[in-house]
Amino acid sequence: QSQELSQVQIDYHAALQALVEDGTRMVCTGRMHTDRICRFESLCYSTEAEEFVYFHSNSSVMLPNLGSRRFQPALLDLSSVEDHNTQYFNFVELPAAALKFMPKPVFVPDVALIANRFNPDNLMHIFHDDLLPIYYTMQQFSDLDLEARLFFMEGWSEGVHFDLYKLLSNKEPLLREQLKTLGRLLCFTKSYVGLSKITTWYQYGFVQPQGPKANILVSGNEIRQFTKFMMQRLNISLEESSSEEYIVVFSRTINRLILNEAELILALAQEFQMKTITVSLEEHSFSDIVQLISNASMLVSMHGAQLVMSLFLPRGATVVELFPYAINPEHYTPYKTLATLPGMDLQYIAWQNTDREDTVTYPDRPWDQGGIAHLDKAEQERIIKSTEVPRHLCCRNPEWLFRAYQDTKVNIPSLIHVIRQTVKSKPRPKKQKWSGSLYPGKVRDAKCQASVQGTSEAKLAVSWQIPWNLKYLKVREVKYEVWIQEQGENTYMPYILSHQNHTFSENIKPFTIYLVWIRCIFNKNLLGPFADVLLCST
Ligand code: UDP
């Protein structure tokens, strides 16, 4: 059923005639290849050439019309990972008249979203690079609804978590390989190409060592809207079911093991007087894990992709990430960054094994599982002696892989101590409460009045009205910030005030022009915009 494209009946003859006469039409958003998403009518794909094809005719449109800059380096990124040179999108051009000599096109009637998955074998990559960006790209364009069809062009097979991609739309996603079975020349009636990067929070270290993105634009609210959607699609009820509180230990069973897991579970249960359960991707279904995590008070896990599941934790819960020996938690922060996004309302705690006695290394494994036997002796010795992996670029640094795939005996007192520094009482999820913070509008009707006393003294009386939105809000604390700047100077005097008027006399000179800037502040840190500057002459 999945590969049946013709549920929507289309008039083949009319479609072909439209393609020949109108050609391809493209209009994009974004100024650079890294922030561009394009909408196409009649974009085609040759499964033999493995190239997208743009047909020129009387009515074709190409915006932006970049000329050869389209290849410098590409029209757009097909995955959500910024400017990755294996993930570029472009098309080849032909006159529509060439269709006469080409295989008969097969039309794709569904609205299509065409993109690359980045690494569909790794759960962190799946959520961060694919699922969230696809979900919010679909939210951006109203015809990308549940009847749209996803086309994954990266060339991978389904991967272990393909079911997750299927949740995003009612139609089965199609992979590049499968397109061959549909025809030699496919033409997408309506398609969008590229993914929004607006929700991504981490860069993996391709050009500089990994870390949070420089300009994070997503908050916990959008993450939770997405998890709510995913849970509905998984048929997991949102209601805070049983009131029993518990801790989840998310374990890995193949590598990067916790060697004393039983002891750890007993200690957590004892310390926090809570039921403590273990889950793993190998032993539990994905929806069972989501169900359990979505009501947990605390999630404890070794560093690793499974920790991205903390996006399903309830507000107020605690994430405890365990790092193997010689791995500095500050250098690997995808899950810390997630947990501490504004509005995620999670507590984040990192623990690191600092004791060589408690680590088990695997120098003889293959290089991609952290083996170092292929390196020269001196390098092997340096790595074994080292107490911290220096910062490095992605993705094949042998010292990093060696340390990342160690097993760890968790030092229980040290771990409990670190958790207790943050979690004083019982960890518990907060009752679902909207915790969005609202910013003040501009102050209104600002006025100033100057008075001069003698030749050296002057006063400036400034008044204003409350921001318009304040009368509809309950705000704990309302303050005003006023900056007074002498015209032509680049310094100013800042004041924080509680009332809507104030007379300034300090440092106010007669026969001078002052610029007065006023803004409102809610609850100490919610800074509103400045109102239009006031010009005041003494
Ligand atoms: N994985 C797992 N159990 C294991 C080892 C790996 O569930 O014992 C999962 C892991 O969560 C990730 C994928 O397998 O989704 C690839 O793991 P890898 O160690 O390559 O990546 P990392 O977790 O370090 O990002």
Side-chain angles (χ1 to χ4, degrees):
Q1 120 276 359
S2 64
Q3 299 183 27
E4 202 52 67
L5 287 174
S6 51
Q7 288 117 328
V8 184
Q9 275 301 321
I10 54 167
D11 176 346
Y12 185 82
H13 191 73
L16 184 58
Q17 194 175 343
L19 174 62
V20 173
E21 282 170 15
D22 300 341
T24 305
R25 272 166 301 185
M26 171 188 101
V27 181
C28 307
T29 62
R31 295 169 52 88
M32 310 260 290
H33 72 281
T34 50
D35 62 3
R36 189 166 289 140
I37 298 176
C38 294
R39 179 180 193 277
F40 287 89
E41 288 171 33
S42 303
L43 173 67
C44 300
Y45 180 75
S46 161
T47 56
E48 291 162 333
E50 301 201 316
E51 298 254 31
F52 284 93
V53 189
Y54 177 105
F55 286 106
H56 284 269
S57 85
N58 293 335
S59 316
S60 45
V61 174
M62 191 189 292
L63 268 181
N65 201 322
L66 292 165
S68 68
R69 285 170 293 164
R70 184 157 78 72
F71 311 115
Q72 293 165 5
L75 181 62
L76 54 82
D77 290 338
L78 210 37
S79 85
S80 74
V81 174
E82 179 119 341
D83 195 32
H84 196 290
N85 61 11
T86 64
Q87 309 288 326
Y88 289 149
F89 169 86
N90 238 317
F91 46 73
V92 293
E93 292 165 85
L94 282 175
L99 279 161
K100 281 203 287 290
F101 310 105
M102 297 183 71
K104 275 185 69 166
V106 172
F107 290 96
V108 177
D110 314 310
V111 181
L113 174 57
I114 298 169
N116 277 3
R117 299 177 299 167
F118 189 71
N119 179 356
D121 282 346
N122 179 299
L123 211 51
M124 166 66 186
H125 286 286
I126 292 171
F127 275 97
H128 177 269
D129 311 343
D130 306 340
L131 298 174
L132 271 158
I134 292 168
Y135 179 75
Y136 278 107
T137 302
M138 293 176 75
Q139 298 285 304
Q140 184 172 351
F141 302 103
S142 62
D143 44 358
L144 287 175
D145 55 20
L146 286 172
E147 300 311 313
R149 194 187 296 268
L150 304 174
F151 289 82
F152 296 135
M153 300 307 295
E154 77 289 336
W156 290 53
S157 57
E158 290 191 349
V160 276
H161 294 292
F162 198 62
D163 287 347
L164 294 176
Y165 295 93
K166 292 188 193 173
L167 300 175
L168 294 170
S169 112
N170 293 333
K171 303 227 165 85
E172 182 103 345
L174 291 175
L175 305 175
R176 191 174 77 192
E177 274 310 298
Q178 295 171 294
L179 301 186
K180 293 201 171 71
T181 66
L182 301 176
R184 293 161 70 196
L185 184 64
L186 300 184
C187 292
F188 299 91
T189 311
K190 251 195 214 172
S191 60
Y192 292 83
V193 180
L195 289 180
S196 167
K197 299 180 174 76
I198 201 158
T199 59
T200 58
W201 63 84
Y202 207 68
Q203 63 84 9
Y204 298 117
F206 296 109
V207 289
Q208 50 168 306
Q210 63 172 273
K213 283 210 315 189
N215 187 12
I216 294 177
L217 300 172
V218 67
S219 83
N221 174 56
E222 291 70 41
I223 300 282
R224 288 211 161 81
Q225 298 298 340
F226 162 78
T227 51
K228 188 162 90 183
F229 169 84
M230 293 298 276
M231 289 175 68
Q232 277 162 359
R233 302 285 285 178
L234 285 165
N235 274 322
I236 298 172
S237 62
L238 273 169
E239 100 246 2
E240 302 131 58
S241 44
S242 79
S243 55
E244 197 187 3
E245 298 179 330
Y246 57 90
I247 297 172
V248 173
V249 175
F250 203 148
S251 64
R252 297 172 59 111
T253 60
I254 302 162
N255 53 40
R256 205 177 300 150
L257 307 179
I258 299 170
L259 294 169
N260 54 339
E261 209 168 274
E263 191 192 354
L264 171 67
I265 289 159
L266 284 174
L268 290 167
Q270 171 78 26
E271 176 69 24
F272 297 101
Q273 293 294 303
M274 266 188 210
K275 190 167 89 177
T276 302
I277 55 178
T278 30
V279 299
S280 71
L281 287 169
E282 291 80 15
E283 290 151 331
H284 295 79
S285 74
F286 189 83
S287 20
D288 287 349
I289 296 176
V290 171
Q291 173 85 71
L292 286 167
I293 288 182
S294 68
N295 277 307
S297 300
M298 189 187 288
L299 177 62
V300 181
S301 176
M302 288 306 290
H303 171 73
Q306 67 288 341
L307 260 172
V308 76
M309 301 285 283
S310 46
L311 48 81
F312 291 99
L313 282 168
R315 290 201 153 86
T318 303
V319 179
V320 181
E321 181 169 9
L322 311 174
F323 288 84
Y325 182 77
I327 296 187
N328 184 338
E330 288 301 314
H331 297 175
Y332 308 92
T333 55
Y335 315 110
K336 177 186 182 175
T337 307
L338 168 61
T340 57
L341 287 176
M344 268 313 276
D345 294 341
L346 297 175
Q347 287 193 299
Y348 175 85
I349 297 166
W351 174 86
Q352 186 192 359
N353 174 23
T354 53
D355 195 341
R356 238 170 224 278
E357 303 269 284
D358 290 340
T359 198
V360 176
T361 61
Y362 294 96
D364 297 324
R365 284 186 177 169
W367 72 269
D368 57 343
Q369 294 164 42
I372 52 170
H374 62 291
L375 303 175
D376 69 49
K377 274 274 166 303
E379 181 63 358
Q380 292 186 34
E381 263 171 46
R382 186 194 64 74
I383 289 175
I384 288 168
K385 282 209 190 96
S386 164
T387 57
E388 182 173 314
V389 179
R391 279 200 195 261
H392 56 88
L393 295 181
C394 189
C395 313
R396 295 185 165 200
N397 182 291
E399 183 172 359
W400 151 248
L401 292 171
F402 175 68
R403 291 304 182 185
Y405 286 109
Q406 296 169 111
D407 296 339
T408 304
K409 179 171 157 262
V410 176
N411 181 317
I412 305 287
S414 139
L415 173 64
I416 298 288
H417 176 75
V418 175
I419 301 177
R420 275 301 185 200
Q421 285 181 330
T422 302
V423 181
K424 298 294 183 207
S425 57
K426 242 187 172 192
R428 58 165 52 87
K430 275 196 261 177
K431 288 282 162 265
Q432 294 286 339
K433 200 184 95 201
W434 187 64
S435 69
S437 40
L438 300 185
Y439 291 84
K442 290 183 198 170
V443 303
R444 290 145 65 86
D445 301 327
K447 292 189 181 76
C448 59
Q449 192 152 33
S451 55
V452 174
Q453 283 121 356
T455 52
S456 61
E457 275 180 42
K459 284 183 178 169
L460 211 52
V462 183
S463 67
W464 57 90
Q465 300 299 314
I466 62 168
W468 173 79
N469 61 344
L470 177 54
K471 62 177 180 284
Y472 301 104
L473 295 171
K474 279 206 181 96
V475 181
R476 219 174 341 104
E477 184 198 88
V478 181
K479 290 255 159 95
Y480 297 93
E481 183 168 11
V482 179
W483 295 357
I484 300 194
Q485 178 184 24
E486 190 178 325
Q487 193 173 43
E489 300 290 318
N490 50 21
T491 59
Y492 57 85
M493 296 286 300
Y495 299 85
I496 298 282
L497 304 168
S498 310
H499 300 292
Q500 287 151 245
N501 56 65
H502 190 77
T503 301
F504 300 89
S505 51
E506 265 178 86
N507 300 315
I508 304 291
K509 296 182 283 192
F511 315 115
T512 306
I513 300 175
Y514 289 96
L515 307 183
V516 178
W517 306 85
I518 311 169
R519 68 176 165 191
C520 181
I521 304 176
F522 288 170
N523 302 336
K524 302 224 191 301
N525 55 11
L526 300 171
L527 308 179
F530 282 106
D532 291 347
V533 64
L534 272 184
L535 271 179
C536 313
S537 314
T538 54

